[in-house]
Amino acid sequence: MSHYQRIACLCTESVETLYALGAEEYIAGISGFTVRPPRARKEKPKISGFSSSKLEKILAVKPDLVIGFCNLQADICRDLAHVGIEVHLFNQRSVAGILHMVRVLAALVQRQDAGEQLVAELQGHIDDARAKAREWRRRPKIYFEEWNDPLMSGIGWASEIIDIAGGDDAFPELAQQASAARRIIADAQEVVRRAPDIIVGSWCGKKFQPESLRARPGWNGIPALQNNMVFEIKSADILSPGPSAIKEGLRQMSGLIANWQARRGA
């Protein structure tokens, strides 16, 4: 039996992972952005946003452990610590970090065997995608847009997913920046200059509008727009650093690259 009986999850990937581990009975509350699994929204009370949370609402579910993610939740985690609540703040920024998060969370709820099974499943998806990518002679350049105003490129694990699936990130130097402010593309013409073959939009928390890209000055000359290779991967499928980024985000990215390869007759 887990030492923790009432876990408050302030991030969606911890909810998804605990359900995947068969430890959902320990979840006392979830992030309002949770979408996986769908039944979690019906079964568990919503106690927080992502960057906005109220201490009283979290404390109302009487947690003995709170799980958070990244610097944006550091302040609420500090406040919880001040009132005596145990907190674990994850900060995974890579695919390896996602697998490590699964193992740590599994250990916290004494589901190590289930954790290793889940890691093996996710590693299988990664290995399959790498094997498929090795079949192709050319790697497309991919611009991953995490936000549109200001323009922002994708975070570390999204860039890795592009690489695993057989593409090259158009802005690899920005992907290494943990802070969203440091991933801003100040000059939109830099995207034009880098001439991506594929554009993937994943606007965090809102629907991607591919048609709006053509209104940007000079963007009609980008190969991705000329060849109608502009797609959306929903933010819930790739921007949450948990199992879904590998199960869904990687799968979809591999499919987009396969589509591009097929058009080229690869």
Side-chain angles (χ1 to χ4, degrees), residues 126-137 139 164-166:
I126 294 166
D127 293 343
D128 289 346
R130 286 195 188 280
K132 181 66 176 175
R134 285 195 290 269
E135 298 175 6
W136 299 318
R137 292 187 299 274
R139 297 169 64 88
I164 293 166

mmCIF file of all heavy atoms in Angstrom, residues 126-137 139 164-166:
data_model
loop_
_atom_site.group_PDB
_atom_site.id
_atom_site.type_symbol
_atom_site.label_atom_id
_atom_site.label_comp_id
_atom_site.label_asym_id
_atom_site.label_seq_id
_atom_site.Cartn_x
_atom_site.Cartn_y
_atom_site.Cartn_z
ATOM 1 N N ILE A 126 9.263 4.689 -28.892
ATOM 2 C CA ILE A 126 10.436 5.456 -29.310
ATOM 3 C C ILE A 126 11.296 4.651 -30.283
ATOM 4 O O ILE A 126 11.705 5.132 -31.341
ATOM 5 C CB ILE A 126 11.260 5.879 -28.079
ATOM 6 C CG1 ILE A 126 10.452 6.861 -27.217
ATOM 7 C CG2 ILE A 126 12.597 6.489 -28.494
ATOM 8 C CD1 ILE A 126 11.039 7.074 -25.830
ATOM 9 N N ASP A 127 11.553 3.387 -29.932
ATOM 10 C CA ASP A 127 12.386 2.525 -30.782
ATOM 11 C C ASP A 127 11.739 2.307 -32.149
ATOM 12 O O ASP A 127 12.429 2.322 -33.181
ATOM 13 C CB ASP A 127 12.620 1.178 -30.092
ATOM 14 C CG ASP A 127 13.463 1.305 -28.835
ATOM 15 O OD1 ASP A 127 14.130 2.346 -28.659
ATOM 16 O OD2 ASP A 127 13.443 0.359 -28.018
ATOM 17 N N ASP A 128 10.428 2.105 -32.171
ATOM 18 C CA ASP A 128 9.721 1.889 -33.445
ATOM 19 C C ASP A 128 9.812 3.132 -34.330
ATOM 20 O O ASP A 128 10.019 3.026 -35.548
ATOM 21 C CB ASP A 128 8.248 1.549 -33.187
ATOM 22 C CG ASP A 128 8.059 0.151 -32.597
ATOM 23 O OD1 ASP A 128 9.027 -0.643 -32.630
ATOM 24 O OD2 ASP A 128 6.951 -0.136 -32.104
ATOM 25 N N ALA A 129 9.649 4.307 -33.714
ATOM 26 C CA ALA A 129 9.720 5.549 -34.492
ATOM 27 C C ALA A 129 11.126 5.762 -35.053
ATOM 28 O O ALA A 129 11.285 6.172 -36.211
ATOM 29 C CB ALA A 129 9.312 6.734 -33.622
ATOM 30 N N ARG A 130 12.145 5.471 -34.259
ATOM 31 C CA ARG A 130 13.529 5.610 -34.741
ATOM 32 C C ARG A 130 13.801 4.649 -35.904
ATOM 33 O O ARG A 130 14.468 5.005 -36.886
ATOM 34 C CB ARG A 130 14.509 5.345 -33.609
ATOM 35 C CG ARG A 130 14.608 6.458 -32.573
ATOM 36 C CD ARG A 130 15.851 6.266 -31.718
ATOM 37 N NE ARG A 130 15.915 7.178 -30.597
ATOM 38 C CZ ARG A 130 16.307 8.448 -30.670
ATOM 39 N NH1 ARG A 130 16.659 8.954 -31.849
ATOM 40 N NH2 ARG A 130 16.347 9.211 -29.589
ATOM 41 N N ALA A 131 13.294 3.434 -35.784
ATOM 42 C CA ALA A 131 13.511 2.440 -36.843
ATOM 43 C C ALA A 131 12.856 2.894 -38.143
ATOM 44 O O ALA A 131 13.440 2.749 -39.231
ATOM 45 C CB ALA A 131 12.953 1.086 -36.398
ATOM 46 N N LYS A 132 11.649 3.443 -38.038
ATOM 47 C CA LYS A 132 10.959 3.937 -39.233
ATOM 48 C C LYS A 132 11.734 5.089 -39.855
ATOM 49 O O LYS A 132 11.896 5.161 -41.086
ATOM 50 C CB LYS A 132 9.546 4.399 -38.849
ATOM 51 C CG LYS A 132 8.722 4.913 -40.030
ATOM 52 C CD LYS A 132 8.412 3.800 -41.015
ATOM 53 C CE LYS A 132 7.503 4.292 -42.130
ATOM 54 N NZ LYS A 132 7.282 3.240 -43.170
ATOM 55 N N ALA A 133 12.253 5.982 -39.031
ATOM 56 C CA ALA A 133 12.987 7.152 -39.527
ATOM 57 C C ALA A 133 14.253 6.750 -40.281
ATOM 58 O O ALA A 133 14.665 7.447 -41.212
ATOM 59 C CB ALA A 133 13.334 8.075 -38.368
ATOM 60 N N ARG A 134 14.844 5.640 -39.891
ATOM 61 C CA ARG A 134 16.076 5.194 -40.560
ATOM 62 C C ARG A 134 15.821 4.734 -41.992
ATOM 63 O O ARG A 134 16.771 4.582 -42.778
ATOM 64 C CB ARG A 134 16.739 4.084 -39.749
ATOM 65 C CG ARG A 134 17.452 4.584 -38.489
ATOM 66 C CD ARG A 134 18.386 3.531 -37.923
ATOM 67 N NE ARG A 134 17.655 2.414 -37.352
ATOM 68 C CZ ARG A 134 17.265 2.329 -36.083
ATOM 69 N NH1 ARG A 134 17.542 3.321 -35.237
ATOM 70 N NH2 ARG A 134 16.615 1.272 -35.634
ATOM 71 N N GLU A 135 14.570 4.516 -42.364
ATOM 72 C CA GLU A 135 14.254 4.061 -43.717
ATOM 73 C C GLU A 135 14.345 5.189 -44.742
ATOM 74 O O GLU A 135 14.404 4.941 -45.943
ATOM 75 C CB GLU A 135 12.838 3.466 -43.756
ATOM 76 C CG GLU A 135 12.644 2.235 -42.877
ATOM 77 C CD GLU A 135 11.195 1.767 -42.856
ATOM 78 O OE1 GLU A 135 10.379 2.337 -43.627
ATOM 79 O OE2 GLU A 135 10.883 0.852 -42.080
ATOM 80 N N TRP A 136 14.347 6.436 -44.267
ATOM 81 C CA TRP A 136 14.276 7.584 -45.170
ATOM 82 C C TRP A 136 15.646 8.205 -45.394
ATOM 83 O O TRP A 136 16.479 8.254 -44.490
ATOM 84 C CB TRP A 136 13.305 8.629 -44.610
ATOM 85 C CG TRP A 136 11.905 8.091 -44.480
ATOM 86 C CD1 TRP A 136 11.234 7.314 -45.374
ATOM 87 C CD2 TRP A 136 11.005 8.287 -43.379
ATOM 88 N NE1 TRP A 136 9.979 7.014 -44.902
ATOM 89 C CE2 TRP A 136 9.803 7.602 -43.690
ATOM 90 C CE3 TRP A 136 11.083 8.987 -42.169
ATOM 91 C CZ2 TRP A 136 8.703 7.582 -42.838
ATOM 92 C CZ3 TRP A 136 9.996 8.968 -41.322
ATOM 93 C CH2 TRP A 136 8.819 8.274 -41.654
ATOM 94 N N ARG A 137 15.864 8.707 -46.610
ATOM 95 C CA ARG A 137 17.165 9.268 -46.960
ATOM 96 C C ARG A 137 17.280 10.743 -46.597
ATOM 97 O O ARG A 137 18.383 11.249 -46.430
ATOM 98 C CB ARG A 137 17.413 9.085 -48.468
ATOM 99 C CG ARG A 137 17.600 7.635 -48.893
ATOM 100 C CD ARG A 137 18.020 7.545 -50.352
ATOM 101 N NE ARG A 137 17.028 8.111 -51.252
ATOM 102 C CZ ARG A 137 15.982 7.439 -51.730
ATOM 103 N NH1 ARG A 137 15.797 6.169 -51.372
ATOM 104 N NH2 ARG A 137 15.122 8.017 -52.542
ATOM 105 N N ARG A 139 15.818 14.086 -44.190
ATOM 106 C CA ARG A 139 15.078 14.508 -43.005
ATOM 107 C C ARG A 139 14.471 15.891 -43.260
ATOM 108 O O ARG A 139 15.203 16.832 -43.575
ATOM 109 C CB ARG A 139 16.004 14.562 -41.781
ATOM 110 C CG ARG A 139 16.592 13.221 -41.404
ATOM 111 C CD ARG A 139 17.701 13.368 -40.367
ATOM 112 N NE ARG A 139 17.205 13.908 -39.103
ATOM 113 C CZ ARG A 139 16.720 13.143 -38.102
ATOM 114 N NH1 ARG A 139 16.687 11.821 -38.235
ATOM 115 N NH2 ARG A 139 16.297 13.711 -36.989
ATOM 116 N N ILE A 164 13.430 12.146 -33.120
ATOM 117 C CA ILE A 164 13.147 10.702 -33.069
ATOM 118 C C ILE A 164 12.315 10.274 -34.268
ATOM 119 O O ILE A 164 12.531 9.206 -34.852
ATOM 120 C CB ILE A 164 12.433 10.345 -31.750
ATOM 121 C CG1 ILE A 164 13.377 10.540 -30.556
ATOM 122 C CG2 ILE A 164 11.909 8.905 -31.774
ATOM 123 C CD1 ILE A 164 12.666 10.530 -29.216
ATOM 124 N N ALA A 165 11.356 11.133 -34.659
ATOM 125 C CA ALA A 165 10.444 10.793 -35.752
ATOM 126 C C ALA A 165 11.092 10.920 -37.126
ATOM 127 O O ALA A 165 10.514 10.493 -38.129
ATOM 128 C CB ALA A 165 9.207 11.689 -35.681
ATOM 129 N N GLY A 166 12.293 11.522 -37.179
ATOM 130 C CA GLY A 166 12.995 11.595 -38.453
ATOM 131 C C GLY A 166 13.077 12.968 -39.061
ATOM 132 O O GLY A 166 13.360 13.114 -40.257
#
